[in-house]
Amino acid sequence: MSSDVCATVPDARPGEAGDAKPVPPEPVSSSWAAVFSLAVGVFGLLTAEYLPASLLTPMAADLGVSEALVGQSVTVTAVAAMCSGLLTASLTRRIDRRIVLLGFTVLLIVSNLLVAVAANIMVLLLMRILLGVALGGFWSMAAAVAMRLVPAALVPRAISIIFSGIAVATIVAVPLGSYLGELSGWRSTFLAAAALGVVTLVFQLFALPRMAPHGTARLGTLWEVLRRPGFGVGIAGMLLVHIGHYALFTYIRPALENVVKVDVDELALLLFVFGVANFVGTLVAGWLLEISLRLTLTLTPVLMGVAALGLALLPAGRAGYVALVVLWGLAFGGVSVAWSNWATRMVPDQAESAGGLVVVGVQSAIAGGAAAGGVMFGIGGVTTVFTVSGVVLLASALLIVLRVNAPRHRALN
């Protein structure tokens, strides 16, 4: 990995230049094998996170506890991911980034192995905390590491490939977990997830280059990053987009059953189509980001808002409703990619800290969106959820257009 080239920083507005710190130099060549190894890592982490959703009943029966208590394995993972996302940059600032990433993959393996042999719910929950540490840390570093694996012009494409692991996990984790659980038991499913982690670790050992630490992050750096001109407004826009989406996504099943009028078999197929559209959207976003970051940030919530309002208010017919669901999945595929790119461009000198704040924002929005959706669902059913969320998504797009800075990478000689 060469480091004898210029650094990249975003176009600065007056008064911003003094806030920036030295930026790690960009590479002169691309390390696509390393990029794909990170995508596999994201896939393994998200697959492990989603597995309990398809295995709650057998896990609860085997451990002698309620399904609600087993469901807390998802909650503790999310909370640990939030904490890890915030702390990783400062706690590991003196460690080679390759070692840190490999360490997170080891945590993934250990977590799945010990969940597979857990004798009681407490052991299981503790091991899911380990998974959360790996998940939040890995995610917070992903975009920053991409900046060190490919030249600046290719960073959007690299991040889209890395985050495609999320979309693939969304498609396969729940149905695959359910199938393997029925075939050989829930413990064997987690053993399979551990085996996937071992494959990932071997791939990363060969693919990831050494990446000497460049960070100066401390806990106070998070507050400094939030105070950078334009960063806080951008985080607010990101929160609105994610809250709008997750209020919708929490109630996707009743929406498809009551609005699109699908049966159980058709529901599974349509959810699969949604996941495939999400994966395609992730890759398309990488191409679109090379054209315009602002366009990508704005277009994704606009398309999701249109889809939500269409599902709630238009007599679109069954084919039209299916098309709106596909549009929704396609648009959301670009959201994580776009905002991760935005964070690295806004704060290239503290990209890992910025990534940690993005992780916390997304996890908070998941909880907030689900809670807000629950309130709206109780008031007026799925139509109210989709109408209000659609308006929130369109409002977030307006905020992005008017107030969110979308800088371009610029090389300094």
Side-chain angles (χ1 to χ4, degrees):
M1 182 65 63
S2 175
S3 61
D4 56 349
V5 294
C6 54
T8 59
V9 299
D11 293 332
R13 295 179 299 180
E16 289 183 339
D19 295 328
K21 306 293 190 299
V23 182
E26 71 171 280
V28 293
S29 60
S30 301
S31 181
W32 291 111
V35 170
F36 280 104
S37 78
L38 295 181
V40 174
V42 169
F43 170 71
L45 286 162
L46 269 293
T47 296
E49 183 184 23
Y50 295 154
L51 278 181
S54 60
L55 299 168
L56 279 182
T57 301
M59 290 173 70
D62 188 22
L63 295 171
V65 296
S66 68
E67 292 181 6
L69 186 55
V70 175
Q72 296 309 304
S73 64
V74 177
T75 304
V76 298
T77 301
V79 172
M82 290 176 63
C83 296
S84 179
L86 281 176
L87 298 175
T88 292
S90 58
L91 295 181
T92 67
R93 64 182 181 273
R94 301 184 187 279
I95 305 175
D96 187 310
R97 310 332 273 163
R98 177 178 186 268
I99 300 300
V100 176
L101 291 168
L102 292 174
F104 287 139
T105 304
V106 170
L107 284 182
L108 165 68
I109 297 168
V110 171
S111 170
N112 285 322
L113 282 176
L114 295 183
V115 165
V117 299
N120 56 64
I121 188 64
M122 289 307 300
V123 172
L124 186 144
L125 292 177
L126 287 172
M127 293 308 103
R128 294 290 293 181
I129 290 174
L130 286 185
L131 176 66
V133 171
L135 177 65
F138 202 100
W139 190 357
S140 70
M141 291 178 60
V145 170
M147 295 171 65
R148 303 180 64 176
L149 296 177
V150 298
L154 297 176
V155 167
R157 190 179 308 174
I159 294 178
S160 73
I161 291 171
I162 293 170
F163 280 92
S164 70
I166 298 176
V168 176
T170 303
I171 297 170
V172 306
V174 173
L176 183 61
S178 180
Y179 173 75
L180 291 177
E182 289 293 325
L183 186 67
S184 55
W186 72 268
R187 295 181 185 273
S188 296
T189 305
F190 279 95
L191 287 175
L196 174 61
V198 172
V199 172
T200 302
L201 181 63
V202 172
F203 187 5
Q204 290 174 348
L205 279 170
F206 284 99
L208 288 176
R210 293 177 59 87
M211 290 173 279
H214 290 291
T216 58
R218 291 176 171 80
L219 289 178
T221 303
L222 296 167
W223 177 242
E224 294 172 7
V225 169
L226 274 175
R227 293 178 60 195
R228 296 279 182 96
F231 193 82
V233 174
I235 289 293
M238 184 196 75
L239 284 171
L240 282 178
V241 173
H242 283 84
I243 287 172
H245 167 75
Y246 283 105
L248 297 174
F249 192 70
T250 304
Y251 295 93
I252 187 172
R253 177 163 183 164
L256 296 180
E257 290 175 336
N258 299 324
V259 177
V260 188
K261 306 297 184 183
V262 298
D263 58 29
V264 175
D265 292 335
E266 292 170 330
L267 176 68
L269 177 61
L270 195 49
L271 288 174
F272 175 76
V273 170
F274 178 91
V276 172
N278 187 260
F279 172 71
V280 173
T282 302
L283 299 180
V284 170
W287 166 77
L288 192 59
L289 282 163
E290 294 178 11
I291 299 173
S292 172
L293 173 60
R294 182 177 297 281
L295 174 63
T296 312
L297 290 173
T298 306
L299 186 61
T300 48
V302 166
L303 294 179
M304 288 192 292
V306 168
L309 292 175
L311 286 165
L313 304 176
L314 294 180
R318 197 169 193 185
Y321 288 135
V322 171
L324 289 171
V325 170
V326 171
L327 178 65
W328 174 16
L330 190 70
F332 186 66
V335 170
S336 293
V337 180
W339 286 102
S340 293
N341 269 278
W342 171 83
T344 62
R345 295 191 193 188
M346 285 292 291
V347 196
D349 56 303
Q350 294 292 355
E352 292 181 9
S353 293
L357 290 168
V358 168
V359 170
V360 173
V362 171
Q363 295 294 331
S364 301
I366 292 172
V375 172
M376 291 184 287
F377 189 79
I379 293 173
V382 71
T383 299
T384 300
V385 174
F386 274 64
T387 301
V388 175
S389 296
V391 171
V392 169
L393 286 162
L394 293 179
S396 69
L398 183 61
L399 175 65
I400 291 165
V401 167
L402 296 178
R403 296 294 307 278
V404 174
N405 186 26
R408 295 182 179 181
H409 283 299
R410 183 182 65 189
L412 293 180
N413 294 321

